PDB file of all heavy atoms in Angstrom:
ATOM      1  N   SER A 128    -141.220  82.385 -51.628  1.00 98.00           N
ATOM      2  CA  SER A 128    -140.717  81.563 -50.525  1.00 98.00           C
ATOM      3  C   SER A 128    -139.363  82.101 -50.086  1.00 98.00           C
ATOM      4  O   SER A 128    -138.718  82.846 -50.827  1.00 98.00           O
ATOM      5  CB  SER A 128    -140.524  80.114 -50.984  1.00 98.00           C
ATOM      6  OG  SER A 128    -141.746  79.559 -51.409  1.00 98.00           O
ATOM      7  N   ARG A 146    -133.749  74.625 -46.592  1.00 98.00           N
ATOM      8  CA  ARG A 146    -135.101  74.154 -46.934  1.00 98.00           C
ATOM      9  C   ARG A 146    -135.936  75.382 -47.266  1.00 98.00           C
ATOM     10  O   ARG A 146    -135.759  76.443 -46.652  1.00 98.00           O
ATOM     11  CB  ARG A 146    -135.765  73.457 -45.733  1.00 98.00           C
ATOM     12  CG  ARG A 146    -135.504  71.971 -45.610  1.00 98.00           C
ATOM     13  CD  ARG A 146    -134.129  71.659 -45.142  1.00 98.00           C
ATOM     14  NE  ARG A 146    -133.994  70.297 -44.645  1.00 98.00           N
ATOM     15  CZ  ARG A 146    -132.850  69.763 -44.278  1.00 98.00           C
ATOM     16  NH1 ARG A 146    -131.713  70.441 -44.375  1.00 98.00           N
ATOM     17  NH2 ARG A 146    -132.803  68.534 -43.811  1.00 98.00           N
ATOM     18  N   LEU A 147    -136.852  75.197 -48.212  1.00 98.00           N
ATOM     19  CA  LEU A 147    -137.710  76.318 -48.620  1.00 98.00           C
ATOM     20  C   LEU A 147    -139.000  76.342 -47.800  1.00 98.00           C
ATOM     21  O   LEU A 147    -139.546  75.288 -47.461  1.00 98.00           O
ATOM     22  CB  LEU A 147    -138.081  76.196 -50.102  1.00 98.00           C
ATOM     23  CG  LEU A 147    -136.951  76.419 -51.103  1.00 98.00           C
ATOM     24  CD1 LEU A 147    -137.446  76.148 -52.519  1.00 98.00           C
ATOM     25  CD2 LEU A 147    -136.386  77.843 -50.998  1.00 98.00           C
ATOM     26  N   TYR A 148    -139.495  77.548 -47.524  1.00 98.00           N
ATOM     27  CA  TYR A 148    -140.782  77.731 -46.845  1.00 98.00           C
ATOM     28  C   TYR A 148    -141.556  78.857 -47.516  1.00 98.00           C
ATOM     29  O   TYR A 148    -140.989  79.918 -47.795  1.00 98.00           O
ATOM     30  CB  TYR A 148    -140.567  78.039 -45.349  1.00 98.00           C
ATOM     31  CG  TYR A 148    -139.994  76.829 -44.638  1.00 98.00           C
ATOM     32  CD1 TYR A 148    -138.610  76.631 -44.558  1.00 98.00           C
ATOM     33  CD2 TYR A 148    -140.827  75.841 -44.124  1.00 98.00           C
ATOM     34  CE1 TYR A 148    -138.080  75.483 -43.972  1.00 98.00           C
ATOM     35  CE2 TYR A 148    -140.314  74.695 -43.526  1.00 98.00           C
ATOM     36  CZ  TYR A 148    -138.936  74.516 -43.470  1.00 98.00           C
ATOM     37  OH  TYR A 148    -138.434  73.376 -42.898  1.00 98.00           O
ATOM     38  N   SER A 149    -142.842  78.613 -47.772  1.00 98.00           N
ATOM     39  CA  SER A 149    -143.699  79.648 -48.373  1.00 98.00           C
ATOM     40  C   SER A 149    -143.861  80.788 -47.377  1.00 98.00           C
ATOM     41  O   SER A 149    -144.087  80.546 -46.190  1.00 98.00           O
ATOM     42  CB  SER A 149    -145.096  79.097 -48.659  1.00 98.00           C
ATOM     43  OG  SER A 149    -145.028  77.922 -49.402  1.00 98.00           O
ATOM     44  N   CYS A 167    -145.249  79.650 -41.879  1.00 98.00           N
ATOM     45  CA  CYS A 167    -146.180  78.735 -41.219  1.00 98.00           C
ATOM     46  C   CYS A 167    -145.552  77.342 -41.372  1.00 98.00           C
ATOM     47  O   CYS A 167    -145.498  76.816 -42.479  1.00 98.00           O
ATOM     48  CB  CYS A 167    -147.517  78.830 -41.948  1.00 98.00           C
ATOM     49  SG  CYS A 167    -148.696  77.587 -41.482  1.00 98.00           S
ATOM     50  N   VAL A 168    -145.048  76.792 -40.281  1.00 98.00           N
ATOM     51  CA  VAL A 168    -144.214  75.583 -40.378  1.00 98.00           C
ATOM     52  C   VAL A 168    -144.795  74.420 -39.592  1.00 98.00           C
ATOM     53  O   VAL A 168    -145.100  74.553 -38.399  1.00 98.00           O
ATOM     54  CB  VAL A 168    -142.776  75.889 -39.876  1.00 98.00           C
ATOM     55  CG1 VAL A 168    -141.897  74.640 -39.940  1.00 98.00           C
ATOM     56  CG2 VAL A 168    -142.152  77.026 -40.677  1.00 98.00           C
ATOM     57  N   ARG A 169    -144.935  73.276 -40.281  1.00 98.00           N
ATOM     58  CA  ARG A 169    -145.325  72.041 -39.578  1.00 98.00           C
ATOM     59  C   ARG A 169    -144.067  71.240 -39.271  1.00 98.00           C
ATOM     60  O   ARG A 169    -143.225  71.043 -40.155  1.00 98.00           O
ATOM     61  CB  ARG A 169    -146.264  71.198 -40.446  1.00 98.00           C
ATOM     62  CG  ARG A 169    -146.324  69.732 -40.017  1.00 98.00           C
ATOM     63  CD  ARG A 169    -147.325  68.915 -40.778  1.00 98.00           C
ATOM     64  NE  ARG A 169    -148.678  69.122 -40.277  1.00 98.00           N
ATOM     65  CZ  ARG A 169    -149.136  68.646 -39.112  1.00 98.00           C
ATOM     66  NH1 ARG A 169    -148.319  67.977 -38.295  1.00 98.00           N
ATOM     67  NH2 ARG A 169    -150.381  68.847 -38.750  1.00 98.00           N
ATOM     68  N   LEU A 171    -142.000  68.169 -39.169  1.00 98.00           N
ATOM     69  CA  LEU A 171    -142.074  66.837 -39.783  1.00 98.00           C
ATOM     70  C   LEU A 171    -141.707  65.791 -38.728  1.00 98.00           C
ATOM     71  O   LEU A 171    -140.670  65.895 -38.074  1.00 98.00           O
ATOM     72  CB  LEU A 171    -141.092  66.746 -40.963  1.00 98.00           C
ATOM     73  CG  LEU A 171    -140.948  65.344 -41.567  1.00 98.00           C
ATOM     74  CD1 LEU A 171    -142.214  64.905 -42.279  1.00 98.00           C
ATOM     75  CD2 LEU A 171    -139.755  65.284 -42.507  1.00 98.00           C
ATOM     76  N   TYR A 173    -141.986  61.414 -38.237  1.00 97.00           N
ATOM     77  CA  TYR A 173    -142.465  60.112 -38.712  1.00 97.00           C
ATOM     78  C   TYR A 173    -141.765  58.995 -37.939  1.00 97.00           C
ATOM     79  O   TYR A 173    -140.750  59.224 -37.264  1.00 97.00           O
ATOM     80  CB  TYR A 173    -142.257  59.972 -40.226  1.00 97.00           C
ATOM     81  CG  TYR A 173    -140.816  60.087 -40.693  1.00 97.00           C
ATOM     82  CD1 TYR A 173    -140.010  58.963 -40.814  1.00 97.00           C
ATOM     83  CD2 TYR A 173    -140.268  61.317 -41.011  1.00 97.00           C
ATOM     84  CE1 TYR A 173    -138.687  59.071 -41.237  1.00 97.00           C
ATOM     85  CE2 TYR A 173    -138.952  61.442 -41.441  1.00 97.00           C
ATOM     86  CZ  TYR A 173    -138.168  60.311 -41.549  1.00 97.00           C
ATOM     87  OH  TYR A 173    -136.867  60.412 -41.955  1.00 97.00           O
ATOM     88  N   ASN A 181    -137.512  63.221 -36.165  1.00 97.00           N
ATOM     89  CA  ASN A 181    -137.927  64.622 -36.308  1.00 97.00           C
ATOM     90  C   ASN A 181    -137.212  65.239 -37.497  1.00 97.00           C
ATOM     91  O   ASN A 181    -135.992  65.113 -37.626  1.00 97.00           O
ATOM     92  CB  ASN A 181    -137.560  65.423 -35.051  1.00 97.00           C
ATOM     93  CG  ASN A 181    -138.356  64.978 -33.839  1.00 97.00           C
ATOM     94  OD1 ASN A 181    -139.520  64.600 -33.959  1.00 97.00           O
ATOM     95  ND2 ASN A 181    -137.724  65.007 -32.679  1.00 97.00           N
ATOM     96  N   GLY A 182    -137.944  65.932 -38.344  1.00 98.00           N
ATOM     97  CA  GLY A 182    -137.337  66.630 -39.477  1.00 98.00           C
ATOM     98  C   GLY A 182    -136.342  67.673 -38.963  1.00 98.00           C
ATOM     99  O   GLY A 182    -136.605  68.332 -37.952  1.00 98.00           O
ATOM    100  N   VAL A 183    -135.199  67.818 -39.668  1.00 98.00           N
ATOM    101  CA  VAL A 183    -134.115  68.683 -39.182  1.00 98.00           C
ATOM    102  C   VAL A 183    -134.556  70.152 -39.113  1.00 98.00           C
ATOM    103  O   VAL A 183    -134.511  70.797 -38.066  1.00 98.00           O
ATOM    104  CB  VAL A 183    -132.875  68.547 -40.109  1.00 98.00           C
ATOM    105  CG1 VAL A 183    -131.808  69.577 -39.754  1.00 98.00           C
ATOM    106  CG2 VAL A 183    -132.314  67.140 -40.023  1.00 98.00           C
ATOM    107  N   CYS A 184    -134.974  70.696 -40.255  1.00 98.00           N
ATOM    108  CA  CYS A 184    -135.218  72.135 -40.327  1.00 98.00           C
ATOM    109  C   CYS A 184    -136.543  72.527 -39.663  1.00 98.00           C
ATOM    110  O   CYS A 184    -136.621  73.555 -38.982  1.00 98.00           O
ATOM    111  CB  CYS A 184    -135.182  72.590 -41.776  1.00 98.00           C
ATOM    112  SG  CYS A 184    -135.113  74.366 -41.941  1.00 98.00           S
ATOM    113  N   SER A 185    -137.571  71.693 -39.872  1.00 98.00           N
ATOM    114  CA  SER A 185    -138.881  72.053 -39.303  1.00 98.00           C
ATOM    115  C   SER A 185    -138.833  72.000 -37.777  1.00 98.00           C
ATOM    116  O   SER A 185    -139.469  72.812 -37.104  1.00 98.00           O
ATOM    117  CB  SER A 185    -139.974  71.136 -39.867  1.00 98.00           C
ATOM    118  OG  SER A 185    -139.676  69.787 -39.615  1.00 98.00           O
ATOM    119  N   THR A 186    -138.045  71.067 -37.223  1.00 98.00           N
ATOM    120  CA  THR A 186    -137.912  70.996 -35.763  1.00 98.00           C
ATOM    121  C   THR A 186    -137.110  72.206 -35.270  1.00 98.00           C
ATOM    122  O   THR A 186    -137.479  72.855 -34.282  1.00 98.00           O
ATOM    123  CB  THR A 186    -137.217  69.680 -35.349  1.00 98.00           C
ATOM    124  OG1 THR A 186    -137.997  68.608 -35.879  1.00 98.00           O
ATOM    125  CG2 THR A 186    -137.108  69.550 -33.846  1.00 98.00           C
ATOM    126  N   THR A 224    -150.070  73.287 -44.146  1.00 98.00           N
ATOM    127  CA  THR A 224    -149.298  74.538 -44.238  1.00 98.00           C
ATOM    128  C   THR A 224    -149.360  75.148 -45.648  1.00 98.00           C
ATOM    129  O   THR A 224    -148.821  76.241 -45.856  1.00 98.00           O
ATOM    130  CB  THR A 224    -147.826  74.294 -43.864  1.00 98.00           C
ATOM    131  OG1 THR A 224    -147.335  73.206 -44.659  1.00 98.00           O
ATOM    132  CG2 THR A 224    -147.661  73.970 -42.389  1.00 98.00           C
ATOM    133  N   ALA A 227    -150.137  78.817 -46.214  1.00 98.00           N
ATOM    134  CA  ALA A 227    -149.211  79.950 -46.021  1.00 98.00           C
ATOM    135  C   ALA A 227    -149.353  81.045 -47.093  1.00 98.00           C
ATOM    136  O   ALA A 227    -149.659  82.198 -46.758  1.00 98.00           O
ATOM    137  CB  ALA A 227    -147.774  79.457 -45.912  1.00 98.00           C
ATOM    138  N   GLU A 367    -147.774  74.813 -56.182  1.00 98.00           N
ATOM    139  CA  GLU A 367    -146.553  74.663 -55.381  1.00 98.00           C
ATOM    140  C   GLU A 367    -146.829  73.624 -54.294  1.00 98.00           C
ATOM    141  O   GLU A 367    -147.457  73.914 -53.279  1.00 98.00           O
ATOM    142  CB  GLU A 367    -146.155  75.999 -54.754  1.00 98.00           C
ATOM    143  CG  GLU A 367    -144.710  75.982 -54.282  1.00 98.00           C
ATOM    144  CD  GLU A 367    -144.117  77.382 -54.291  1.00 98.00           C
ATOM    145  OE1 GLU A 367    -144.274  78.071 -53.279  1.00 98.00           O
ATOM    146  OE2 GLU A 367    -143.528  77.767 -55.319  1.00 98.00           O
ATOM    147  N   TYR A 369    -145.312  70.092 -52.027  1.00 98.00           N
ATOM    148  CA  TYR A 369    -144.044  69.561 -51.507  1.00 98.00           C
ATOM    149  C   TYR A 369    -144.255  68.311 -50.665  1.00 98.00           C
ATOM    150  O   TYR A 369    -145.379  67.981 -50.370  1.00 98.00           O
ATOM    151  CB  TYR A 369    -143.313  70.645 -50.696  1.00 98.00           C
ATOM    152  CG  TYR A 369    -144.205  71.478 -49.790  1.00 98.00           C
ATOM    153  CD1 TYR A 369    -144.538  71.055 -48.506  1.00 98.00           C
ATOM    154  CD2 TYR A 369    -144.728  72.706 -50.233  1.00 98.00           C
ATOM    155  CE1 TYR A 369    -145.342  71.829 -47.677  1.00 98.00           C
ATOM    156  CE2 TYR A 369    -145.520  73.485 -49.405  1.00 98.00           C
ATOM    157  CZ  TYR A 369    -145.829  73.043 -48.124  1.00 98.00           C
ATOM    158  OH  TYR A 369    -146.631  73.802 -47.313  1.00 98.00           O
TER     159      TYR A 369
HETATM  160  P1  LIG B 401    -135.777  66.525 -43.227  1.00 80.09           P
HETATM  161  O1  LIG B 401    -134.924  66.322 -42.046  1.00 80.09           O
HETATM  162  O2  LIG B 401    -135.171  67.126 -44.453  1.00 80.09           O
HETATM  163  O3  LIG B 401    -136.492  65.186 -43.575  1.00 80.09           O
HETATM  164  C1  LIG B 401    -137.204  65.049 -44.772  1.00 80.09           C
HETATM  165  C2  LIG B 401    -136.891  63.689 -45.316  1.00 80.09           C
HETATM  166  O4  LIG B 401    -137.395  62.715 -44.416  1.00 80.09           O
HETATM  167  C3  LIG B 401    -137.584  63.414 -46.619  1.00 80.09           C
HETATM  168  O5  LIG B 401    -136.837  63.873 -47.698  1.00 80.09           O
HETATM  169  C4  LIG B 401    -137.710  61.920 -46.600  1.00 80.09           C
HETATM  170  O6  LIG B 401    -136.508  61.346 -47.031  1.00 80.09           O
HETATM  171  C5  LIG B 401    -137.862  61.606 -45.143  1.00 80.09           C
HETATM  172  N1  LIG B 401    -139.249  61.355 -44.781  1.00 80.09           N
HETATM  173  C6  LIG B 401    -140.240  62.264 -44.686  1.00 80.09           C
HETATM  174  N2  LIG B 401    -141.382  61.685 -44.309  1.00 80.09           N
HETATM  175  C7  LIG B 401    -141.110  60.382 -44.167  1.00 80.09           C
HETATM  176  C8  LIG B 401    -141.887  59.256 -43.808  1.00 80.09           C
HETATM  177  N3  LIG B 401    -143.171  59.372 -43.504  1.00 80.09           N
HETATM  178  N4  LIG B 401    -141.278  58.053 -43.761  1.00 80.09           N
HETATM  179  C9  LIG B 401    -139.960  57.916 -44.065  1.00 80.09           C
HETATM  180  N5  LIG B 401    -139.172  58.951 -44.434  1.00 80.09           N
HETATM  181  C10 LIG B 401    -139.752  60.163 -44.476  1.00 80.09           C
HETATM  182  N6  LIG B 401    -143.059  73.205 -45.123  1.00 80.09           N
HETATM  183  C11 LIG B 401    -143.804  73.844 -44.177  1.00 80.09           C
HETATM  184  O7  LIG B 401    -143.944  73.352 -43.055  1.00 80.09           O
HETATM  185  N7  LIG B 401    -144.390  75.051 -44.457  1.00 80.09           N
HETATM  186  C12 LIG B 401    -144.269  75.653 -45.653  1.00 80.09           C
HETATM  187  O8  LIG B 401    -144.811  76.739 -45.873  1.00 80.09           O
HETATM  188  C13 LIG B 401    -143.468  75.006 -46.646  1.00 80.09           C
HETATM  189  N8  LIG B 401    -143.300  75.572 -47.857  1.00 80.09           N
HETATM  190  C14 LIG B 401    -142.554  74.947 -48.813  1.00 80.09           C
HETATM  191  C15 LIG B 401    -142.410  75.567 -50.050  1.00 80.09           C
HETATM  192  C16 LIG B 401    -141.667  74.942 -51.029  1.00 80.09           C
HETATM  193  C17 LIG B 401    -141.506  75.630 -52.378  1.00 80.09           C
HETATM  194  C18 LIG B 401    -141.053  73.689 -50.769  1.00 80.09           C
HETATM  195  C19 LIG B 401    -140.258  72.997 -51.826  1.00 80.09           C
HETATM  196  C20 LIG B 401    -141.196  73.084 -49.541  1.00 80.09           C
HETATM  197  C21 LIG B 401    -141.941  73.702 -48.532  1.00 80.09           C
HETATM  198  N9  LIG B 401    -142.093  73.132 -47.267  1.00 80.09           N
HETATM  199  C22 LIG B 401    -142.863  73.762 -46.329  1.00 80.09           C
HETATM  200  C23 LIG B 401    -141.388  71.868 -46.907  1.00 80.09           C
HETATM  201  C24 LIG B 401    -140.021  72.196 -46.267  1.00 80.09           C
HETATM  202  O9  LIG B 401    -139.154  72.744 -47.249  1.00 80.09           O
HETATM  203  C25 LIG B 401    -139.315  70.958 -45.701  1.00 80.09           C
HETATM  204  O10 LIG B 401    -139.214  69.978 -46.708  1.00 80.09           O
HETATM  205  C26 LIG B 401    -140.010  70.363 -44.495  1.00 80.09           C
HETATM  206  O11 LIG B 401    -140.084  71.307 -43.440  1.00 80.09           O
HETATM  207  C27 LIG B 401    -139.213  69.143 -43.987  1.00 80.09           C
HETATM  208  O12 LIG B 401    -137.907  69.534 -43.756  1.00 80.09           O
HETATM  209  P2  LIG B 401    -137.076  68.950 -42.513  1.00 80.09           P
HETATM  210  O13 LIG B 401    -135.702  69.497 -42.583  1.00 80.09           O
HETATM  211  O14 LIG B 401    -137.818  69.152 -41.248  1.00 80.09           O
HETATM  212  O15 LIG B 401    -137.067  67.402 -42.824  1.00 80.09           O
END
Side-chain angles (χ1 to χ4, degrees):
S128 299
R146 271 74 163 174
L147 291 175
Y148 293 89
S149 308
C167 170
V168 179
R169 160 175 280 287
L171 172 68
Y173 60 91
N181 293 326
V183 172
C184 193
S185 57
T186 303
T224 53
E367 197 153 87
Y369 42 85

